[in-house]
Each structure stands twice: as structure tokens, then as C-alpha cells.
Amino acid sequence: MFAWRYRFLNRLCVPALVVALLAAVSAAQAQVLVVGARSLDTLESAAAYALKMAGRENLAKQLEGLLAALTQGKGLKGIDKTLPLGVYVHLPATGQSQPQAVVFVPISDSKAVLELLEALNLSPRKDRDDWYTLTNDQGQSFYLRFHSRYALVSNSQPALEKPVAEAKLRALLPADALVAASLRIEEIPVALKQQFLEQVIKEAREREKEKRPGETQAQYELRMQTTEMAHRVLERVVHDTRALTVALSVDESQHQLALRALLEPQPNTPMALALQSLGTQPARFAALVRPEDHFGAVLHLPAPAPLRQVLVRAAREGFAQGLQQAKDDQDRLFRQHVFDAILAALDQPSWEGAIFLTAPGADGSRAAALLLQTGRGRQWQSIFEQFVAKLPEEMRRLIELNAAKVGNFTVHAIEVREGADDLRRIFGSPRIYLMVSDDTLGIGAGKDLMRTLEERSKKSKTAATREAAATALDLRLRMTALAELERPDKTKPAAKEIAREVFRGPYAGRDEVRLRLLVGEKVELRLDMDTPVLLFLFKSGRAGSAEAGL
């Protein structure tokens, strides 16, 4: 239903800041974009670590030989491998139409660097003290300036007149990142931001204003309302964002990788205050998922009123068509009850949910559950009872209503015939359970599910910490567990055999992937991964390709 909306946001927001950067006109020189690495040493170390993990240490020697050949045996002589390096982009000065990019490379010996450039056929020619012109084989010219401990290179000589201080360059990128990129939106002038917004929003309105074939008036009004809401979000992002940063870190000793995307608002702006407010609301299901689970996810997503209104209105439009297809008054009444329950779930101040798959017990069985806050849990109880009453007698015999009571949950048991063997293999029982409380609906499996749910529900009442409140999404997955759940198949390589091969020795237990969305003083999307997971995925993909004859 909302696919067009995501495409619209993609077209609007992703190119937006790039266009603003390229179109900028300002008399001041501000570093709008910075891309860099912590140092050449850390890059070389990370590359060697990755090659060793993949069993390709010999490739590192081949690369060293290639570098020696390119530099006529000089290697990287004169380059300081311990300091940050990268490129930054200035806003263009008045009268210039192109951004000014400056490459910054740390040096230990300027004379050795000039010799290296000669070896690379860049023909440095001295213009004045510490200033040189470089010319390549195609006759293109670049400018070089030695400043402090750095060599600065640009195709624009004015870009090198006022070089950025080393301390400032370090401050623009996360100190612990292997590599990072930061777009400093706060450096774009306000007038230019407004000009950009007016142009983009005007074009979007023109594109969206016409009714589409087959679109009802209600659907058209909903689409226009959603478009205007997207415009307001874009305005706040453009005006209130301080920086957008993406950073990759690698901890070789702990065999961990972290990829972070951060949106940092300017202090005391509407966006900053809204994010801080969202980050203080308690998470409902935080304690239902444990670190030792083989799979788990917690959703705690505050739902702004305008967004809820749009979703409820869209749902009502779809439900109205569903009611028209009812076979009789009884069917129409049943559908209305279902629709009302769904609308109540959508119109919650926050969308809360949790899912977990426990580690196997002593007998190898697991427990799993999916829980969602619905607002009207008991209404779902009535809906399920009405649904069961309509079933043929043979199917009703497989369902035990009110099979158990766990805390506030009423539990109904359903015996599964198709797929029962898989349920027994994984969960130790062919039953699945429907769980209903005053405001929660859940489904689960596992012979020990009731005990697990009761134990975790008691602890969840006191687990609303600030960290949990700031976590809008927290998903954990252990790759070994995923491999073990795979149904045996003699026609393809067993994932669990590959997992046993990879996750052993120094990599034993290093099989976790964790994805988090944190909302508070800033918005952070963070992927943490044990590095052997990459090796597992690589080997699994290669084995699958070999089996397919690719």
C-alpha cells in the first residue's frame, strides 16, 4: 500500500543534500563533506586481518609487490602511516560553480614525497615555498601544498590558501572509526537550504497533484496528506540537522565490526527536542528478550499523532472495501470486529513488540514467541472464539480454548498436523499457542513456552531503563542457531557444517549479528557483527554457488 511513498521519499531525500552541496554558493569556506581513515597503519592492519581470516595471506604479499612496481620500488616512503588521511570538500567560493575538494595525506618527509610523485609520473614543479604544480601523463594539472604535517592536493589552487587545521579534521570524524564520512549540513547557508526546499517541494507538488487512474477521492486526499507530511519531515531534517555521519570500526582483538549511521541534530531545535522526548518513553517488552537467546528483537517505536492519523485513515479506506465483500450480515459484523481491533492497534501512542527464540534446553527443544501490543487484547479473544466456532468439527477438535493462564495471558492451544515434524524437532511439541491479555496479542511454540513466558513477564515490569527507552529497535541473531534450524537437505551443503567449521577455535561463540536503532540526543542506526559471520556468509555463498555449478 505504501510502496509509492517510500519511492517518493527515496527520490526526494537521498539526492536532496547532494544537490544542495553541489549548488551551494558562499563566500566562506566550510567543510561540508569529509571522508577519511584513521591512518594507513590501521587500514593495512584491517586488510591483513581480513585476508588472514579468509586464508588469503599470500594476497597481501602480491599487493605489496604491485605497490612496489607502481612506485618503482619506493613504496610509500615519506608518508606518515600513523595519522588520519582522506578528503574534504569546501563550499564553493563566490563566483565558482564547482565544489573544491582537497585530498589530505600525512607526511614525514616532503622530499621523499616529491621523489615518490616523480616515480608516479606526476612531475612536480615548484611554484613557491611548499607550493607545487603536478602534471600527469594526460596533461592534467593539480596543486600541491605542504602544510604542517600534511600534503594537500586539489585541482583548485584557492582551495589550498586556507588549509584546515589538523585538529579540526580529527574532530570532524569519529576517533574510533577505521573509515568514516560526514556530511556537515549545518555548514550550508540557511538561505540556500530554504531555496533548495522551495524548489524540491514545488516540483514534488506538481508531480503529485494530478489524480491517478482508478484513484478514489479519499485515496487522493490521503496521498496528498502523506506527501505534505513528508515535506515537513524533510524541512526539519534540512534545517535542524547538524551532521550525517557513517562510520566503520573494526576491533581485531575482539573479532567485532561496527557500522554506524548517525543523524545529529543541532541543539535546541524542534527536531532535537522531539528526539529527546521520544528517547525517554519506557519500552514495554525490553526484558522479554535476553542476550543468550539465539534470536530476538524488540520494537519500541513512538508513533507521532500525524503518522497514526494517516495510517488509520488509509486502513479505514481499505477496510471499507473489505466490508463490501462480506457474504452476509454475520460475516460483515465479524469483519468489522477484526477491522476495529486492527485500527486500535495502529492508533497506539507507540508501537511495541517483541520476538524471541531461546537457546536449546537439555533435551534440545526451544521456545519462541511473538508479542504485539494491540490496545484491545480481549477483543482479539472474542474474534478468535468466533472464528473457532465457524470451523468444522474436525478442526475444532485440534483447538483447546483457555488451555492455560500465564500471568495476565489467556492461552489457547492449537495442535498442528501439517509441519508437525518440524515443530517437534525444533520446539519439542506439535502445538502452537495463541496468547491474549488486556492489551497484548501473541503467538508462540515450545513445550517450555509457558514457563519461559511467565518468568520473563515478571521481570519485564521493572526493566524499563533509559537505555531500553532510547532503543527503538534491537535485533539479535546468532548464525549458528540459524544454521541448526535449517531442514536437512542432501542436495545442498549443510549450513550447520559450515558453521561448525567457521565458529571454532579463536572464533568460538563469535557468531552474533545485532542491529539497533537508537533515538535520543541523536538518531543512530548501528550494526554490530562478529567478524567471523562474514566468513560464514562468504563460505555459505561460495558453497551454494559451487553446488549450483556457478
Side-chain angles (χ1 to χ4, degrees):
M1 182 188 302
F2 300 105
W4 66 268
R5 207 164 300 153
Y6 298 133
R7 290 196 299 269
F8 168 73
L9 286 172
N10 233 6
R11 292 198 305 267
L12 189 65
C13 297
V14 174
L17 298 174
V18 177
V19 172
L21 174 61
L22 295 178
V25 177
S26 172
Q29 282 195 325
Q31 291 70 53
V32 175
L33 178 65
V34 182
V35 180
R38 193 189 313 172
S39 69
L40 276 173
D41 274 347
T42 55
L43 288 176
E44 289 178 354
S45 177
Y49 172 73
L51 291 172
K52 180 180 179 181
M53 179 177 290
R56 301 293 300 275
E57 293 96 330
N58 60 320
L59 184 57
K61 295 181 179 179
Q62 294 176 24
L63 292 175
E64 289 177 4
L66 178 61
L67 177 63
L70 289 173
T71 61
Q72 299 180 23
K74 295 185 179 298
L76 296 177
K77 190 176 180 181
I79 305 298
D80 189 331
K81 295 185 177 183
T82 66
L83 295 177
L85 70 157
V87 59
Y88 59 81
V89 177
H90 283 309
L91 283 177
T94 302
Q96 295 178 320
S97 59
Q98 297 295 326
Q100 301 170 348
V102 177
V103 176
F104 57 97
V105 180
I107 63 170
S108 57
D109 185 338
S110 59
K111 183 178 179 181
V113 170
L114 291 172
E115 292 174 355
L116 175 60
L117 293 172
E118 285 280 6
L120 293 171
N121 297 319
L122 287 174
S123 306
R125 185 187 73 249
K126 186 171 183 178
D127 299 324
R128 48 189 160 125
D129 287 347
D130 295 329
W131 284 80
Y132 294 82
T133 297
L134 308 177
T135 305
N136 63 17
D137 292 338
Q138 288 74 43
Q140 296 172 311
S141 294
F142 303 89
Y143 302 96
L144 165 68
R145 181 182 179 183
F146 293 119
H147 176 77
S148 184
R149 295 188 289 178
Y150 277 86
L152 308 175
V153 180
S154 177
N155 62 352
S156 169
Q157 196 172 44
L160 304 180
E161 292 289 350
K162 296 181 180 180
V164 181
E166 178 185 329
K168 184 176 181 181
L169 285 175
R170 289 182 180 227
L172 290 174
L173 295 171
D176 62 340
L178 175 66
V179 292
S182 182
L183 183 61
R184 316 298 296 184
I185 299 176
E186 65 177 343
E187 300 293 354
I188 300 175
V190 174
L192 179 62
K193 292 179 183 178
Q194 192 59 42
Q195 177 185 348
F196 156 73
L197 285 169
E198 290 173 358
Q199 180 180 349
V200 170
I201 291 174
K202 180 181 178 180
E203 291 177 357
R205 284 174 176 160
E206 286 294 320
R207 194 166 51 242
E208 299 290 331
K209 71 178 182 180
E210 297 297 332
K211 239 183 178 183
R212 296 175 180 175
E215 189 175 42
T216 67
Q217 182 63 25
Q219 289 171 335
Y220 170 74
E221 292 175 1
L222 173 65
R223 180 165 58 82
M224 296 306 295
Q225 183 181 355
T226 307
T227 299
E228 290 303 313
M229 187 172 67
H231 293 164
R232 292 194 293 272
V233 171
L234 179 62
E235 286 175 344
R236 289 274 59 87
V237 170
V238 171
H239 283 303
D240 294 357
T241 299
R242 184 177 182 182
L244 289 169
T245 302
V246 178
L248 173 68
S249 303
V250 177
D251 187 334
E252 297 172 23
S253 63
Q254 297 299 315
H255 304 297
Q256 289 182 331
L257 172 152
L259 180 63
R260 294 170 291 164
L262 296 94
L263 185 151
E264 183 182 358
Q266 297 185 54
N268 301 318
T269 57
M271 183 169 69
L273 297 176
L275 290 175
Q276 290 172 13
S277 174
L278 294 177
T280 60
Q281 299 178 22
R284 171 81 185 278
F285 296 122
L288 287 179
V289 176
R290 305 287 177 82
E292 63 268 21
D293 287 339
H294 280 186
F295 175 77
V298 175
L299 176 70
H300 167 56
L301 192 62
L307 178 59
R308 299 203 310 269
Q309 292 168 6
V310 168
L311 290 176
V312 168
R313 188 173 177 184
R316 287 189 188 278
E317 176 74 15
F319 294 163
Q321 297 176 10
L323 289 174
Q324 293 174 3
Q325 299 171 6
K327 295 179 293 184
D328 50 40
D329 290 344
Q330 186 178 8
D331 184 33
R332 185 177 295 104
L333 182 61
F334 177 75
R335 292 184 183 217
Q336 187 64 61
H337 286 165
V338 175
F339 295 161
D340 288 345
I342 294 174
L343 290 174
L346 289 175
D347 202 20
Q348 297 293 303
S350 64
W351 296 323
E352 307 272 354
I355 183 171
F356 63 81
L357 172 68
T358 66
D363 62 352
S365 65
R366 308 166 184 267
L370 168 66
L371 299 166
L372 298 172
Q373 180 174 287
T374 61
R376 295 184 186 177
R378 294 305 173 188
Q379 187 169 352
W380 286 104
Q381 167 94 2
S382 174
I383 290 169
F384 183 66
E385 291 172 350
Q386 293 177 51
F387 173 76
V388 171
K390 295 180 180 181
L391 294 175
E393 176 65 25
E394 183 181 352
M395 296 186 68
R396 287 204 303 270
R397 291 174 184 167
L398 302 177
I399 300 173
E400 183 182 355
L401 295 174
N402 304 312
K405 186 79 173 176
V406 179
N408 294 327
F409 285 104
T410 300
V411 182
H412 311 290
I414 305 167
E415 186 173 344
V416 176
R417 295 286 175 84
E418 187 175 347
D421 290 343
D422 283 336
L423 283 173
R424 286 193 185 93
R425 177 173 62 88
I426 298 171
F427 300 109
S429 168
R431 283 187 156 195
I432 61 174
Y433 302 94
L434 182 72
M435 302 164 286
V436 183
S437 71
D438 291 339
D439 62 354
T440 303
L441 178 67
I443 187 170
K447 66 183 186 63
D448 293 328
L449 176 62
M450 300 301 108
R451 178 182 57 79
T452 301
L453 191 62
E454 184 172 20
E455 175 191 338
R456 297 189 180 193
S457 296
K458 289 178 181 178
K459 293 188 178 182
S460 69
K461 296 178 181 179
T462 58
T465 63
R466 178 171 179 80
E467 179 182 358
T471 304
L473 173 68
D474 191 350
L475 183 150
R476 294 174 181 262
L477 170 66
R478 289 199 171 274
M479 300 305 294
T480 301
L482 189 65
E484 290 174 352
L485 292 177
E486 183 183 59
R487 181 182 296 181
D489 187 348
K490 295 181 180 180
T491 66
K492 62 181 182 180
K496 62 182 179 182
E497 296 301 326
I498 298 174
R500 288 171 185 166
E501 175 189 345
V502 171
F503 302 116
R504 63 179 181 177
Y507 304 147
R510 301 291 187 181
D511 65 339
E512 185 177 77
V513 178
R514 187 179 187 187
L515 178 68
R516 285 177 288 172
L517 176 62
L518 308 174
V519 179
E521 294 182 356
K522 61 183 71 175
V523 178
E524 179 178 359
L525 182 63
R526 181 180 181 109
L527 175 66
D528 293 285
M529 179 187 299
D530 291 331
T531 52
V533 170
L534 295 173
L535 182 58
F536 169 76
L537 295 175
F538 172 74
K539 286 179 174 289
S540 298
R542 188 169 61 177
S545 298
E547 187 68 25
L550 299 178

